Amino acid sequence: MVEQNMSLAAAGIAFFMVWAFFPALTLIVVVGAMLLGKAHVLAWLSSVRLDLPESVNVVVIAQLDAIAERSRGLSIATVAGAL
């Protein structure tokens, strides 16, 4: 493990996974709001809210709620960003 710098590789993977998590979550919320509707996405977010710590609920879920509310205007930007 030391010769191949496995700890450094694991730290790099974890770092980039954290940076990729929030844009991916935003894309899921926007696409879900476009396909399923805002009500389904907000219901899903309320069920996710039960499993997360309170500090995450305050920041992340509130932002995802706001994104789901405005998802109709973001459809062109979402398609362009996904491509």
Side-chain angles (χ1 to χ4, degrees):
M1 285 182 56
V2 174
E3 288 178 12
Q4 296 179 355
N5 293 324
M6 294 299 285
S7 61
L8 182 62
I13 291 169
F15 176 77
F16 287 112
M17 287 297 293
V18 167
W19 278 103
F21 176 72
F22 293 108
L25 188 59
T26 303
L27 182 66
I28 289 169
V29 167
V30 170
V31 170
M34 287 185 338
L35 296 177
L36 301 174
K38 180 175 60 174
H40 284 87
V41 173
L42 293 176
W44 176 73
L45 287 175
S46 68
S47 69
V48 171
R49 188 175 291 144
L50 299 174
D51 298 331
L52 298 174
E54 185 61 34
S55 60
V56 174
N57 285 337
V58 170
V59 177
V60 175
I61 301 296
Q63 290 298 315
L64 291 175
D65 282 340
I67 290 169
E69 296 271 335
R70 295 178 292 197
S71 65
R72 291 292 178 201
L74 296 175
S75 60
I76 295 172
T78 302
V79 171
L83 290 176

